Amino acid sequence: MTKDNSKQKNTDVTPPPNFIRNIIKEDEASGKFGGRVATRFPPEPNGYLHIGHAKSICLNFGLAAENNGTCNLRFDDTNPTKESVEYVESIQEDVRWLGFDWKDRLFFASDYFEELYDFAVQLIEKGKAYVDSLCADDIRAYRGTLTQPGQESPFRNRPVEENMDLFTRMRAGEFEEGAHVLRAKIDMAHPNLLLRDPTLYRIRKASHHRTGDKWCIYPMYDFTHCLSDSLEGITHSVCTLEFENNRQLYDWVLDELEVYHPQQIEFARLNLTYTVLSKRKLIQLVEEGHVTGWDDPRMPTISGMRRRGYTPDTIRNFCERIGVAKRGSTVDMALLEYTLREDLNKRAWRVMGVLRPLRVIIDNYPEGQVEELEAENSPEDPSLGKRKLPFSRELFVEHDDFMEDAPRKFFRLSPGREVRLKHAYYITCVSVVKDDRTDEVIELHCTYDPATHGGWSDDGRKVKGTLHWVSAAHAVRAEVHLYDHLFTRENPADEKEGLGFKDYLNPDSLATLSDCMLEPSLKDARPDLFYQFLRQGYFCLDQQNSTDNRPVFNRTITLRDTWAKINKKKK
Ligand code: ATP
Ligand code: MG
């Protein structure tokens, strides 16, 4: 992935070509599907959606919208033990939040269970499916390997009537789990292992979140998926590359049943550096408490990113930017962050918040006086207007903005040095108060120059440093969460030397600052707005207060990619 996007023109009118858009164009020209474009996004409700899914969502809903087509949201819910209503609901919320609308096209594979059962019966009647009574271990052992053909099950040649009888009784609940399965009768020596008599149905005595206890046999994903696409009249069944081998099986099923045949098109799944995009892995992070939940702001889930302060636009723009290709690659997280900053820069309200406060007393400012200074809300968007900022004798500045023995190029506060307080005045540090015992700096005494009102001087005197600050008496106390990558390695899923992805969790991925001082306008902060704390990054209000009932602000992202810089230096 290159970081140079300057060559990509991004307009709403003509989206840049990609190989799938080209296929659709060709199909429209040749009239292959009667000019119809029907896509679908088919999640399994066994976890929350992540940014990889967003790529698929943008692609499927995008292709439909560009071509006056339709896009279904279909839950592939064939595995009752791993699925739940919570996941079904979160997935709908996330797709909607991303800005896509499936209208009345919400489907569940479980709604097709009866039809799927009938399809299975048809295969049995055709002599193309049989009930196998081998145990799971034997089925696996009989499958063979890439270099060795499999072995036929002794039950493979059961007569049709016996298969029908057993399958009917499987449905009726007469057998225990694992006693029998229904398998397709294809070829135990097939070079594609997926076609060595794949399982079509298994017994699962589990309640399903939609069908309850109606069923105790459940169709396998592969059998369900291709038939669901067919039943829904999907034209372009877009999926990720790992399903390339499954296509042959889908073709077999659809051809044997002589039903409508969608066209499957595979594309490369999204991989991102410094994170994992697999529900199987993400669920471990949640269940083992490595994160606070699916919506932990460090998670690459849509809900985590939403809570972190990502916008749907950022995610959609990112998905357009990375494009779709046939070959797998890993996208640099920095590209996602670049897209995020670009978006937030336009939206964010500029405010001031001091994360590690140091008290400043302005000795020559009258005690008890409060001045209302004016500050613009955004240089990028004048329509956001201005706000009042109270200034008074006691302020907070950032602890890092003071250094007692400062080098010459430290353009911040130090005894004798003058700086600008943003929107306010020039101040000069005159003395330092320290804790007797620890020698820690606890307070600065400064003087201000009344002639520099608004932060400007008429006499041409220049200061190099501009600091953010808040008035102590007016400050809003808040908790701030700073985030870093969830993993320390670019590719945590690359499991080497006996280490797994969880061995690469970053112990410093979250820093909690519990006593931050924010400007008073943030008393009315809204969870749907975006804030730039000057010099500190982009922040958003969390939906939950801290344990001591202070508002919590999540840092969405720093202003510049300091992390990459620091990392380069370390090397
Ligand atoms: P995971 O590996 O996270 O479990 P999955 O493929 O099993 O993902 P599904 O719920 O089956 O999860 O995915 C729904 C759709 O999203 C599928 O069409 C799948 O191909 C697509 N998808 C999943 N992960 C990615 C990804 N990283 N990039 C692009 N598309 C993805
Ligand atoms: Mg899947």
Side-chain angles (χ1 to χ4, degrees):
M1 185 74 229
T2 62
K3 278 193 209 160
D4 177 15
N5 300 290
S6 53
K7 282 183 222 96
Q8 266 186 11
K9 273 236 173 66
N10 226 335
T11 63
D12 287 343
V13 195
T14 30
N18 62 44
F19 82 98
I20 301 183
R21 282 173 175 149
N22 293 344
I23 291 174
I24 290 185
K25 229 183 244 152
E26 283 162 23
D27 289 347
E28 289 201 312
S30 73
K32 181 165 175 187
F33 294 104
R36 226 162 39 87
V37 174
T39 60
R40 85 284 174 268
F41 172 64
E44 193 184 342
N46 60 354
Y48 280 59
L49 297 181
H50 53 63
I51 176 109
H53 294 115
K55 176 175 179 179
S56 176
I57 294 167
C58 292
L59 183 57
N60 280 298
F61 279 93
L63 290 170
E66 289 158 24
N67 295 286
N68 280 319
T70 53
C71 182
N72 300 353
L73 173 60
R74 180 178 73 239
F75 288 95
D76 268 334
D77 53 348
T78 55
N79 193 351
T81 55
K82 298 217 161 128
E83 299 163 3
S84 77
V85 175
E86 177 193 351
Y87 298 141
V88 170
E89 286 172 354
S90 75
I91 289 170
Q92 295 188 50
E93 183 186 358
D94 289 350
V95 174
R96 226 178 268 125
W97 180 76
L98 281 171
F100 299 105
D101 183 0
W102 55 87
K103 307 221 167 77
D104 57 350
R105 314 191 64 83
L106 174 64
F107 301 102
F108 292 83
S110 55
D111 290 344
Y112 310 138
F113 280 173
E114 201 63 56
E115 280 146 298
L116 294 169
Y117 181 84
D118 291 342
F119 281 131
V121 167
Q122 281 182 45
L123 287 179
I124 294 173
E125 284 169 346
K126 265 186 97 173
K128 294 293 179 180
Y130 62 98
V131 172
D132 196 355
S133 309
L134 285 179
C135 66
D137 286 342
D138 283 344
I139 289 182
R140 210 168 301 125
Y142 278 49
R143 185 165 296 133
T145 62
L146 279 173
T147 50
Q148 285 200 322
Q151 204 184 320
E152 295 189 355
S153 162
F155 303 100
R156 194 173 197 261
N157 294 313
R158 274 179 166 149
V160 170
E161 298 71 38
E162 190 180 333
N163 284 322
M164 264 319 300
D165 175 59
L166 286 170
F167 190 51
T168 312
R169 288 163 60 197
M170 278 168 69
R171 177 178 182 171
E174 284 186 33
F175 308 112
E176 291 311 306
E177 288 191 9
H180 308 284
V181 293
L182 183 74
R183 295 179 72 176
K185 195 169 182 175
I186 308 179
D187 178 1
M188 285 308 291
H190 203 287
N192 181 346
L193 269 66
L194 293 176
L195 276 84
R196 292 187 185 171
D197 292 9
T199 301
L200 304 180
Y201 267 87
R202 67 237 191 277
I203 301 171
R204 277 271 182 289
K205 306 240 161 143
S207 261
H208 186 280
H209 57 99
R210 283 180 65 82
T211 56
D213 293 323
K214 175 159 186 227
W215 294 88
C216 61
I217 54 171
Y218 290 95
M220 298 299 286
Y221 177 84
D222 278 337
F223 184 62
T224 310
H225 188 77
C226 57
L227 286 168
S228 304
D229 276 351
S230 173
L231 288 168
E232 290 174 17
I234 300 302
T235 56
H236 301 85
S237 173
V238 178
C239 66
T240 39
L241 277 181
E242 66 274 20
F243 291 99
E244 204 162 4
N245 284 336
N246 304 57
R247 174 151 40 94
Q248 234 179 336
L249 173 55
Y250 300 164
D251 289 345
W252 183 90
V253 170
L254 300 176
D255 290 346
E256 289 298 337
L257 291 168
E258 296 173 53
V259 291
Y260 166 80
H261 206 136
Q263 176 182 357
Q264 174 167 308
I265 306 169
E266 303 93 11
F267 72 99
R269 62 194 290 122
L270 169 67
N271 298 304
L272 254 191
T273 56
Y274 298 106
T275 194
V276 292
L277 295 182
S278 143
K279 280 185 285 191
R280 190 180 58 78
K281 294 197 170 82
L282 295 174
I283 203 166
Q284 292 177 55
L285 298 180
V286 174
E287 286 180 350
E288 295 169 18
H290 299 292
V291 293
T292 56
W294 284 101
D295 68 346
D296 186 302
R298 292 167 292 181
M299 290 281 272
T301 51
I302 305 299
S303 51
M305 294 171 79
R306 174 166 62 233
R307 189 163 172 196
R308 173 86 170 251
Y310 275 80
T311 69
D313 279 359
T314 295
I315 296 176
R316 286 203 310 264
N317 290 342
F318 172 72
C319 289
E320 187 57 53
R321 212 163 241 174
I322 59 177
V324 280
K326 242 336 209 192
R327 252 193 25 193
S329 67
T330 300
V331 176
D332 197 333
M333 176 75 89
L335 178 65
L336 176 61
E337 295 177 344
Y338 169 81
T339 310
L340 176 62
R341 288 189 185 98
E342 194 180 50
D343 188 17
L344 293 179
N345 178 49
K346 283 178 278 173
R347 301 170 188 267
W349 296 65
R350 268 58 169 183
V351 292
M352 295 197 285
V354 176
L355 304 189
R356 297 169 183 88
L358 173 61
R359 191 175 290 270
V360 169
I361 317 286
I362 311 287
D363 290 335
N364 59 341
Y365 197 85
E367 219 156 321
Q369 180 172 312
V370 178
E371 211 174 326
E372 297 281 334
L373 301 167
E374 203 163 64
E376 63 182 343
N377 288 322
S378 171
E380 297 286 324
D381 184 358
S383 75
L384 294 184
K386 294 183 173 177
R387 69 184 183 287
K388 297 278 189 231
L389 264 181
F391 184 87
S392 64
R393 188 167 190 267
E394 283 195 28
L395 314 171
F396 289 113
V397 298
E398 208 67 61
H399 223 294
D400 290 354
D401 282 336
F402 172 77
M403 214 172 168
E404 197 167 15
D405 294 309
R408 208 164 43 85
K409 290 212 162 152
F410 184 79
F411 301 119
R412 294 174 266 170
L413 279 172
S414 187
R417 295 196 193 176
E418 185 172 53
V419 299
R420 170 190 295 114
L421 293 183
K422 181 80 178 174
H423 304 303
Y425 293 102
Y426 286 11
I427 64 167
T428 304
C429 178
V430 290
S431 66
V432 181
V433 179
K434 292 185 183 175
D435 184 300
D436 286 342
R437 281 183 308 119
T438 62
D439 212 32
E440 209 189 332
V441 176
I442 49 174
E443 198 172 281
L444 303 180
H445 283 262
C446 297
T447 54
Y448 87 116
D449 178 355
T452 57
H453 182 90
W456 304 106
S457 158
D458 287 338
D459 63 9
R461 179 164 106 244
K462 288 213 175 72
V463 288
K464 280 232 170 94
T466 301
L467 308 189
H468 59 278
W469 56 276
V470 295
S471 166
H474 304 89
V476 176
R477 297 176 87 129
E479 183 169 298
V480 165
H481 295 174
L482 306 179
Y483 301 103
D484 196 350
H485 296 300
L486 188 49
F487 293 93
T488 52
R489 282 177 56 132
E490 279 201 22
N491 183 4
D494 180 15
E495 309 195 330
K496 270 192 207 143
E497 295 142 16
L499 295 180
F501 74 104
K502 284 177 281 182
D503 294 308
Y504 304 118
L505 277 163
N506 179 4
D508 303 318
S509 58
L510 167 66
T512 301
L513 304 176
S514 51
D515 211 8
C516 305
M517 299 291 178
L518 314 182
E519 67 163 73
S521 74
L522 287 166
K523 236 192 344 263
D524 305 316
R526 279 169 33 189
D528 58 332
L529 294 182
F530 303 89
Y531 301 96
Q532 185 191 107
F533 291 7
L534 288 180
R535 301 169 67 222
Q536 296 290 12
Y538 295 100
F539 291 76
C540 68
L541 179 67
D542 198 79
Q543 71 261 42
Q544 263 177 7
N545 278 1
S546 68
T547 41
D548 52 1
N549 207 28
R550 293 184 188 176
V552 173
F553 284 83
N554 294 314
R555 179 154 73 186
T556 311
I557 188 79
T558 54
L559 291 179
R560 272 175 308 271
D561 192 0
T562 47
W563 192 91
K565 242 190 266 165
I566 290 166
N567 216 36
K568 211 178 264 171
K569 255 190 225 157
K570 271 195 213 150
K571 277 181 195 156

